[in-house]
Amino acid sequence: MYFPGIEAFLAIVRTGSISKAADLLHLSQATVSYRLKTLEQGMGGLLVERRKGAAKISLTPKGENFFSIAERWEALWRETQILKANGSQLSLAISAAESISHFVLPPVYRMLNQHTPSIRLQIRTQHTQEAFDSIERREMDVAFVVREIVSPSVTVQPFFTEEMVLLRLAVPGRQAGDTVEMEELAAEHEVLVNWNREFQFRHDQWWDPLCPSRVHLDSAGLITTFLTNARQWTIVPASIGAHMKGMGEFVLQKLAVSVPPRVGYKVTHKFPNQALHEPLQILDNYLQIRFGHQ
């Protein structure tokens, strides 16, 4: 793939014009236009519409489809340049679900960051499907996700489990560790995060799915935004609950029924590159220190 053309294409998209792209790249407009044209010839069609008098450029359908691919090429090119500059330095690209990356893995991140010899880390937050795709394409070296997806090219292993707890505002008379009956929790006051399929299945058995909560979230980081009065409640993994409790406004309690624990999975390619053997082994050692047997 013609990287100077990809660089020019991305600069044009990001700045909105060939002239501004030329300024950004410290090149002449003629050079930027030439590089774009060469890329388009290689792609077999126009990527950018040329309209006289238009304030900003627009992409053709092919250009819109190519944009995300171009961004990945740019990221891989940068990775290659860093690898060339650093020689044999260990590196590890980690993909992780937000709730795992923010609330479960920070101790492991710190151990990796302090390791000698140093490891160059790249950490990316991705949903489970994105993470699996990144591993299959070898864009990332290891992923940590909250559900399994069957794929012939990846290996999936559980790396930790944690209980689910009830999180509510700390108010007088509400004791940490108390067991709460399901009847005490009204569905309309729930701040709902669908943690996984098993959780959703059991949840719909306990509370009428036709009477849903008023707030549905896909990010644990937003829980404190909506958990603002004594009637509201949410069910969260213990790691997130401990973090919220540390903020001083919340209390953790138990549910009277058994809630399926949350399982975290480590995903790697079945045939990793030889250069990944050492950093993945280092990672496994730190996971064992933090979470036990791997």
Side-chain angles (χ1 to χ4, degrees):
M1 186 66 71
Y2 178 57
F3 184 75
I6 292 176
E7 183 181 45
F9 170 75
L10 288 173
I12 292 168
V13 174
R14 290 165 179 166
T15 62
S17 73
I18 292 178
S19 61
K20 291 180 181 178
D23 291 340
L24 178 66
L25 298 174
H26 304 291
L27 298 170
S28 68
Q29 291 188 40
T31 299
V32 172
S33 296
Y34 172 79
R35 291 182 176 184
L36 174 63
K37 183 177 180 180
T38 302
L39 175 66
E40 289 176 326
Q41 289 173 344
M43 292 295 298
L46 293 179
L47 302 175
V48 176
E49 296 279 4
R50 280 78 155 175
R51 297 177 181 175
K52 291 184 178 180
K56 295 188 68 173
I57 61 94
S58 60
L59 297 180
T60 65
K62 182 184 286 286
E64 292 176 353
N65 292 332
F66 182 67
F67 178 67
S68 62
I69 298 174
E71 286 189 311
R72 294 203 295 271
W73 267 96
E74 180 185 47
L76 290 172
W77 182 85
R78 287 176 178 170
E79 291 288 308
T80 302
Q81 301 311 302
I82 292 171
L83 181 61
K84 288 168 60 177
N86 293 335
S88 59
Q89 180 185 12
L90 298 176
S91 66
L92 195 61
I94 301 172
S95 167
E98 180 195 43
S99 61
I100 292 182
S101 191
H102 291 187
F103 303 105
V104 175
L105 290 178
V108 177
Y109 292 160
R110 285 191 287 271
M111 287 187 278
L112 289 169
N113 193 44
Q114 295 166 6
H115 186 82
T116 302
S118 64
I119 303 174
R120 191 178 63 80
L121 295 174
Q122 176 189 355
I123 298 172
R124 184 183 300 174
T125 301
Q126 293 183 313
H127 292 296
T128 295
Q129 184 62 62
E130 292 178 298
F132 270 82
D133 291 343
S134 294
I135 296 297
E136 289 177 340
R137 294 194 298 261
R138 299 182 187 273
E139 293 176 359
M140 307 301 287
D141 303 325
V142 60
F144 295 96
V145 299
V146 293
R147 62 185 175 90
E148 294 183 88
I149 295 178
V150 177
S151 170
S153 59
V154 304
T155 298
V156 182
Q157 296 175 300
F159 80 97
F160 91 112
T161 60
E162 60 179 338
E163 66 175 341
M164 304 293 287
V165 296
L166 177 67
L167 179 70
R168 297 198 284 178
L169 282 179
V171 297
R174 188 171 284 175
Q175 299 296 319
D178 280 356
T179 299
V180 178
E181 299 293 335
M182 313 306 265
E183 293 78 10
E184 299 179 44
L185 304 171
E188 61 267 25
H189 299 311
E190 181 182 15
V191 176
L192 175 62
V193 182
N194 182 9
W195 298 108
N196 52 46
R197 293 189 184 95
E198 293 79 10
F199 174 81
Q200 186 66 55
F201 177 76
R202 296 296 296 275
H203 182 279
D204 289 347
Q205 291 181 320
W206 300 323
W207 291 281
D208 183 359
L210 298 180
C211 181
S213 64
R214 202 161 54 87
V215 180
H216 289 234
L217 304 177
D218 68 354
S219 171
L222 290 173
I223 288 175
T224 56
T225 300
F226 294 95
L227 207 65
T228 55
N229 68 63
R231 292 183 300 174
Q232 290 178 303
W233 57 277
T234 188
I235 300 173
V236 297
S239 58
I240 295 175
H243 177 83
M244 301 296 184
K245 181 181 177 182
M247 299 172 67
E249 302 176 2
F250 302 97
V251 62
L252 299 180
Q253 298 178 307
K254 299 178 181 179
L255 291 164
V257 298
S258 176
V259 182
R262 184 170 78 147
V263 181
Y265 299 93
K266 184 186 75 170
V267 184
T268 54
H269 201 282
K270 280 189 177 179
F271 307 103
N273 297 327
Q274 185 63 34
L276 288 175
H277 177 77
E278 185 176 354
L280 287 177
Q281 184 60 57
I282 293 168
L283 172 65
D284 284 344
N285 291 340
Y286 287 141
L287 290 173
Q288 185 171 11
I289 291 171
R290 183 67 180 87
F291 302 109
H293 178 70
Q294 292 294 303

